[in-house]
Amino acid sequence: MTVRTAAAAPSRPALPIADVDADVARATSTGVGEFDRVLGGGLVPGAVLLMAGEPGIGKSTLALEVAARAARAGHTVLYVSGEESAAQVKLRAQRIDALAPNLFLASETDLGAALGLLDQVNPSLLVVDSVQTLASSQIDGAAGNVGQIREVASALIQAAKANNISALLIGHVTKDGSIAGPRALEHLVDVVIQFEGERHSRLRLVRAIKNRYGPTDEVGCFDMGDTGIVGLADPSALFLTSRDRPVAGTCVTVTLEGRRPWLQRFKLW
Ligand SMILES: Nc1ncnc2c1ncn2[C@@H]1O[C@H](COP(=O)(O)OP(=O)(O)O)[C@@H](O)[C@H]1O
Ligand SMILES: [Mg+2]
């Protein structure tokens, strides 16, 4: 049996290209300069980002920072946490100074309920922490399996595109470094951001590995500390201390990360 798709009435007519409104696709600053750098200017309305990284690296912290900055800039922001209770997220917000009046917070693991919240709050930025913790009751299987992740992502993408909402989806990577479940989303989302860093170091690198709106060779540098995550416009300062005289047994090297050169000091013995 052959299945054929019948022509239907279009929801929007095709326009002469000169009449298309391009302003709706312009990036607006997130208020976090190093994040804007990675995104190629900022967040685009209707754009869906996947931010992937290992547990504990700082994804929730950066997402909350971006959410608070956007809220302080006048946007309505909805932060849906499936990982932590609202009280836990509030404690983090207090610690990193992210209590903003237009920032709405909900702890939710049901996709349908999250979409309901989206209708209620009508935000311009949505943060979902994480895609692996939401699940649809219409799909078999537990939260986090590939079928669920795909359903969660496609429903959120559809909602974001229909309402011009920027969405930031957090995804966990597995220990071997692949974005396990979330890797199945890479072709669905507009931007994929990878969070990198070592446990013993405060330096965090954030790079775009896919970006429909900007370059993919930019790297954002952050300092992860007790009071939050702070952009490092000059990462060399983290490695170099100013000394009057050269120190025997050390050398300074220049490395290039994406488009950014920086200086690092090493001990030779
Ligand atoms: N109460 C706290 N005081 C200071 N630093 C904390 C506290 N809780 C978490 N952190 C820091 O935040 C990091 C976790 O960041 P988080 O944004 O939750 O990571 P992710 O969302 O990627 O799992 C921890 O590794 C730790 O460095
Ligand atoms: Mg987290």
Side-chain angles (χ1 to χ4, degrees):
M1 192 178 76
T2 43
V3 179
R4 304 220 16 215
T5 305
S11 56
R12 264 163 294 185
L15 293 174
I17 193 165
D19 297 347
V20 172
D21 181 6
D23 281 340
V24 293
R26 278 199 217 292
T28 51
S29 166
T30 60
V32 181
E34 288 295 299
F35 198 51
D36 288 348
R37 182 200 291 270
V38 178
L39 298 177
L43 286 170
V44 175
V48 180
L49 284 75
L50 172 67
M51 182 157 77
E54 286 177 19
I57 198 139
K59 301 180 297 296
S60 302
T61 308
L62 179 59
L64 194 56
E65 175 75 24
V66 168
R69 299 267 182 148
R72 286 190 184 127
H75 298 288
T76 303
V77 182
L78 173 61
Y79 192 113
V80 177
S81 177
E83 306 237 316
E84 293 158 305
S85 67
Q88 279 172 315
V89 180
K90 180 170 180 183
L91 285 178
R92 177 181 295 117
Q94 282 174 329
R95 179 162 54 85
I96 71 169
D97 187 25
L99 294 182
N102 291 329
L103 173 53
F104 292 80
L105 174 62
S107 178
E108 186 53 71
T109 54
D110 180 63
L111 173 64
L115 294 172
L117 287 168
L118 210 50
D119 277 347
Q120 249 173 28
V121 176
N122 193 22
S124 44
L125 172 64
L126 166 72
V127 177
V128 174
D129 188 1
S130 63
V131 275
Q132 277 113 326
T133 49
L134 287 195
S136 164
S137 54
Q138 310 295 311
I139 300 274
D140 286 340
N145 78 22
V146 173
Q148 284 286 8
I149 290 180
R150 271 186 218 254
E151 173 63 16
V152 168
S154 13
L156 295 173
I157 290 167
Q158 207 175 9
K161 303 283 174 208
N163 302 298
N164 262 337
I165 299 167
S166 308
L168 176 55
L169 312 181
I170 293 176
H172 293 300
V173 295
T174 49
K175 286 201 186 67
D176 66 6
S178 68
I179 317 178
R183 197 158 272 283
L185 306 180
E186 281 188 10
H187 67 286
L188 295 177
V189 298
D190 302 304
V191 182
V192 180
I193 289 162
Q194 179 81 48
F195 220 113
E196 296 166 13
E198 312 261 340
R199 240 163 229 290
H200 58 267
S201 155
R202 291 164 53 138
L203 179 69
R204 297 289 180 271
L205 301 184
V206 174
R207 63 177 96 231
I209 53 177
K210 165 183 174 175
N211 192 350
R212 284 189 179 143
Y213 313 107
T216 50
D217 52 359
E218 281 288 7
V219 177
C221 299
F222 293 90
D223 181 17
M224 179 83 192
D226 292 349
T227 53
I229 193 158
V230 182
L232 285 173
D234 175 20
S236 302
L238 198 69
F239 304 112
L240 298 179
T241 45
S242 49
R243 293 177 202 267
D244 297 339
R245 287 177 297 134
V247 180
T250 64
C251 79
V252 173
T253 61
V254 185
T255 46
L256 191 65
E257 279 287 353
R259 291 189 199 182
R260 299 181 83 170
W262 69 63
L263 301 171
Q264 236 171 318
R265 187 192 298 276
F266 289 100
K267 266 198 181 131
L268 296 178
W269 63 77

Short mmCIF file of all heavy atoms in Angstrom, two decimals, residues 56 58-61 79 83-84 92 129 170 172, ligand 2:
data_model
loop_
_atom_site.label_atom_id
_atom_site.label_comp_id
_atom_site.label_asym_id
_atom_site.label_seq_id
_atom_site.Cartn_x
_atom_site.Cartn_y
_atom_site.Cartn_z
N GLY A 56 28.39 17.95 36.79
CA GLY A 56 29.23 18.70 37.71
C GLY A 56 30.11 19.75 37.07
O GLY A 56 30.83 20.48 37.74
N GLY A 58 29.20 22.46 35.34
CA GLY A 58 28.72 23.83 35.47
C GLY A 58 27.58 24.21 34.54
O GLY A 58 27.28 25.41 34.38
N LYS A 59 26.93 23.24 33.94
CA LYS A 59 25.86 23.54 32.98
C LYS A 59 24.70 24.28 33.64
O LYS A 59 24.23 25.30 33.13
CB LYS A 59 25.31 22.24 32.35
CG LYS A 59 26.35 21.44 31.60
CD LYS A 59 25.78 20.17 31.01
CE LYS A 59 25.25 19.19 32.03
NZ LYS A 59 26.26 18.63 32.94
N SER A 60 24.24 23.76 34.79
CA SER A 60 23.10 24.41 35.46
C SER A 60 23.48 25.81 35.92
O SER A 60 22.66 26.73 35.86
CB SER A 60 22.67 23.59 36.68
OG SER A 60 22.33 22.29 36.29
N THR A 61 24.71 25.97 36.36
CA THR A 61 25.17 27.27 36.84
C THR A 61 25.17 28.29 35.70
O THR A 61 24.65 29.41 35.85
CB THR A 61 26.58 27.15 37.45
OG1 THR A 61 26.56 26.10 38.41
CG2 THR A 61 27.01 28.43 38.10
N TYR A 79 12.46 28.60 33.75
CA TYR A 79 13.50 27.59 34.01
C TYR A 79 12.79 26.35 34.54
O TYR A 79 12.22 26.37 35.63
CB TYR A 79 14.49 28.14 35.04
CG TYR A 79 15.76 27.33 35.20
CD1 TYR A 79 16.99 27.86 34.80
CD2 TYR A 79 15.76 26.06 35.76
CE1 TYR A 79 18.17 27.13 34.94
CE2 TYR A 79 16.93 25.33 35.90
CZ TYR A 79 18.12 25.87 35.49
OH TYR A 79 19.29 25.15 35.63
N GLU A 83 15.81 17.89 37.29
CA GLU A 83 16.87 17.26 38.05
C GLU A 83 16.79 17.61 39.51
O GLU A 83 17.09 16.81 40.38
CB GLU A 83 18.24 17.80 37.59
CG GLU A 83 18.46 17.68 36.13
CD GLU A 83 19.70 16.90 35.83
OE1 GLU A 83 20.72 17.15 36.49
OE2 GLU A 83 19.64 16.03 34.95
N GLU A 84 16.47 18.88 39.77
CA GLU A 84 16.54 19.37 41.14
C GLU A 84 15.20 19.97 41.54
O GLU A 84 14.42 20.37 40.67
CB GLU A 84 17.63 20.45 41.23
CG GLU A 84 19.02 19.88 41.02
CD GLU A 84 20.01 20.94 40.58
OE1 GLU A 84 19.76 21.63 39.58
OE2 GLU A 84 21.03 21.07 41.25
N ARG A 92 20.93 27.67 44.67
CA ARG A 92 22.02 28.00 43.73
C ARG A 92 21.87 29.46 43.27
O ARG A 92 22.85 30.19 43.20
CB ARG A 92 22.00 27.07 42.52
CG ARG A 92 23.06 27.44 41.50
CD ARG A 92 23.07 26.56 40.26
NE ARG A 92 23.41 25.20 40.55
CZ ARG A 92 22.58 24.16 40.34
NH1 ARG A 92 21.39 24.36 39.82
NH2 ARG A 92 22.96 22.94 40.63
N ASP A 129 16.35 21.77 32.16
CA ASP A 129 17.51 21.15 32.83
C ASP A 129 17.08 19.82 33.44
O ASP A 129 16.56 19.78 34.54
CB ASP A 129 18.01 22.11 33.91
CG ASP A 129 19.32 21.66 34.53
OD1 ASP A 129 19.86 20.63 34.12
OD2 ASP A 129 19.80 22.36 35.44
N ILE A 170 19.56 21.47 28.29
CA ILE A 170 20.79 20.92 28.85
C ILE A 170 20.79 19.41 28.63
O ILE A 170 19.75 18.76 28.77
CB ILE A 170 20.89 21.27 30.35
CG1 ILE A 170 21.07 22.78 30.49
CG2 ILE A 170 22.02 20.51 31.02
CD1 ILE A 170 21.10 23.27 31.91
N HIS A 172 23.21 15.73 29.32
CA HIS A 172 24.39 15.15 29.97
C HIS A 172 25.17 14.30 28.98
O HIS A 172 24.58 13.56 28.21
CB HIS A 172 23.98 14.22 31.11
CG HIS A 172 23.36 14.95 32.23
ND1 HIS A 172 24.03 15.91 32.92
CD2 HIS A 172 22.13 14.88 32.76
CE1 HIS A 172 23.23 16.39 33.84
NE2 HIS A 172 22.07 15.79 33.75
MG MG B 2 22.94 20.39 36.56
#
